[in-house]
Amino acid sequence: MGYLAEECRRAMEAGADGLHVDIMDGHFVPNLTMGPDILRAVRDELPDAYLNVHLMVMRPDIYAPRFVEAGADTVLIHVEAAGDLRATLAGIRAAGKRAGVTLNPETPVAALEGFEDLLDEVLIMTVHPGFGGQAFIEGGLAKIAEVAQRLPHVDIAVDGGITADTGARCAAAGANVLLAGSFLFRAPDMRDAIADMRRKIESARKAGG
Ligand code: ZN
């Protein structure tokens, strides 16, 4: 088993609800990461894990079908990307998978207009996409609340700078999918870190109504 699949297994065994996989094409963001083969390797290793795939790519119309085929459960594309985004989202759903769009920190919620009927999830970026370890961008909280009001039946995910504390604040604002990277993978004990996150998020959601 490769290092990536091993780390994925470690997260699932520590109590994660699923795995968020960042795909970068070297164009939409400068970094370049894995292609569909590596996602397929994770899927083969963890057949039951929920795989939430975030395509930071210029041409989701080309790549979304390949990641669906490689085993993604949800495919998130960027509203700032090129091509026919409605057709791409409809194609993901036609394959029986969940579709979503992502908003960069500088992109307003109004950019979702014209896609609402094709969304199972909206991903709010609270860092600039492409690099790990950045600080949480506070402006994301107001956007979460705006999406929650506009699309009450859609899952709201948050990506970037998520810890137990920022995760709880996002949950209070209306988010229900909290994506943590460094916070969990650098924790002394991932199981404790996930349990701590879950506790704080649950109480923030109750307090937030
Ligand atoms: Zn991501």
Side-chain angles (χ1 to χ4, degrees):
M1 181 177 10
Y3 175 74
L4 177 76
E6 210 170 292
E7 285 294 273
C8 289
R9 178 178 292 283
R10 185 162 82 89
M12 293 308 291
E13 287 175 355
D17 293 319
L19 298 164
H20 177 76
V21 184
D22 283 326
I23 308 295
M24 309 180 199
D25 67 352
H27 297 283
F28 186 79
V29 289
N31 278 354
L32 182 66
T33 57
M34 59 171 92
D37 312 353
I38 300 185
L39 186 76
R40 195 187 313 276
V42 172
R43 172 52 79 214
D44 289 347
E45 192 59 42
L46 298 166
D48 301 323
Y50 170 69
L51 300 181
N52 179 275
V53 177
H54 177 192
L55 298 184
M56 291 181 254
V57 306
M58 250 358 261
R59 293 294 304 271
D61 52 332
I62 295 171
Y63 289 103
R66 297 182 56 189
F67 283 94
V68 161
E69 208 248 321
D73 292 303
T74 297
V75 179
L76 297 155
I77 65 175
H78 267 266
V79 80
E80 305 88 359
D84 184 342
L85 302 184
R86 274 194 68 85
T88 304
L89 292 167
I92 296 165
R93 280 188 159 182
K97 305 299 177 181
R98 300 173 74 255
V101 297
T102 309
L103 302 175
N104 273 340
E106 63 278 8
T107 304
V109 173
L112 297 176
E113 228 164 83
F115 304 111
E116 279 110 325
D117 58 314
L118 292 171
L119 300 179
D120 298 298
E121 187 165 321
V122 172
L123 173 60
I124 307 289
M125 290 304 296
T126 43
V127 297
H128 295 284
F131 303 94
Q134 300 173 62
F136 178 81
I137 296 172
E138 296 286 329
L141 293 168
K143 283 165 79 175
I144 292 166
E146 198 182 336
V147 175
Q149 191 175 33
R150 193 177 179 127
L151 298 168
H153 304 298
V154 167
D155 283 334
I156 303 176
V158 193
D159 192 5
I162 296 297
T163 62
D165 294 317
T166 56
R169 293 171 64 207
C170 291
N176 64 333
V177 181
L178 287 313
L179 306 169
S182 313
F183 174 71
L184 297 181
F185 285 94
R186 291 181 193 157
D189 182 324
M190 197 190 285
R191 181 176 295 276
D192 289 348
I194 289 175
D196 177 38
M197 233 183 127
R198 212 181 275 288
R199 253 191 321 273
K200 287 186 172 146
I201 288 167
E202 280 309 314
S203 61
R205 280 173 67 81
K206 278 184 199 128

